Amino acid sequence: NAGVTQTPKFQVLKTGQSMTLQCAQDMNHNSMYWYRQDPGMGLRLIYYSASEGTTDKGEVPNGYNVSRLNKREFSLRLESAAPSQTSVYFCASRDRGRETQYFGPGTRLLVL
Amino acid sequence: KNQVEQSPQSLIILEGKNCTLQCNYTVSPFSNLRWYKQDTGRGPVSLTIMTFSENTKSNGRYTATLDADTKQSSLHITASQLSDSASYICVVSATDNFNKFYFGSGTKLNVKP
């Protein structure tokens, strides 16, 4: 049981490049989330998916798109990366009716 | 505005000592409050979860308290160990949106030998 996995662990992009961050969970959870974590700030919600087939914007969605590919997988895409998107990105999942989120190990993204 | 404030921002203590971390929130209507531990380079991991009716909850050497009237919570760590060095994050959720979680910016604890 791997929990929540994220790939890649670390990525360097040039401004304007695109990439997709992958997230998968093997706990059969309904809800999945993408957050970014910046120094001195709390985690901020980018997008979430309450259940398979649905996605909703969070607090900071601009510049990102998401896909809930199936119940296990939830990807985050940066179409045209900007230096302001340099951050650590965390994926999380939560079971319906349960309050605790389970987080992946994070993806460290540097945009030059 | 729904907010979660944590103090102190950082803390250094000697191994074996106790410490208390604070969390104040303005989130309403309140559902529950969680404390997470985040080791450097890792994702947060849940320590405790407390609902409106709970005043105290323990998880080993970690004891969380909640005062729903004053909207304050604390996390007390007893007999600290080097492995307690991490960031501790307070997270509050409201009853009007079960997919919205309000995160504090965390307290970075450094336990020195």
Side-chain angles (χ1 to χ4, degrees), chain A residues 83-95:
Chain A
S84 61
Q85 294 178 305
T86 292
S87 187
V88 182
Y89 292 85
F90 288 99
C91 177
S93 69
R94 182 176 70 89
D95 198 8

Side-chain angles (χ1 to χ4, degrees), chain A residues 26-110:
Chain A
D26 61 2
M27 296 173 282
N28 202 36
H29 288 173
N30 288 296
S31 302
M32 297 185 73
Y33 308 80
W34 275 106
Y35 293 92
R36 61 178 288 171
Q37 186 176 40
D38 300 296
M41 301 181 72
L43 275 80
R44 292 183 292 168
L45 182 65
I46 304 171
Y47 272 92
Y48 69 96
S49 170
S51 60
E52 186 179 355
T54 69
T55 60
D56 286 286
K57 295 179 180 179
E59 187 183 350
V60 287
N62 291 345
Y64 305 95
N65 284 301
V66 290
S67 295
R68 184 74 182 267
L69 304 170
N70 47 55
K71 193 170 186 179
R72 288 187 64 248
E73 298 171 291
F74 188 38
S75 63
L76 177 72
R77 183 160 178 83
L78 287 71
E79 290 291 352
S80 179
S84 61
Q85 294 178 305
T86 292
S87 187
V88 182
Y89 292 85
F90 288 99
C91 177
S93 69
R94 182 176 70 89
D95 198 8
R96 181 183 297 167
R98 303 281 185 179
E99 294 293 339
T100 299
Q101 291 179 303
Y102 293 84
F103 287 85
T107 293
R108 284 145 188 81
L109 177 65
L110 174 62

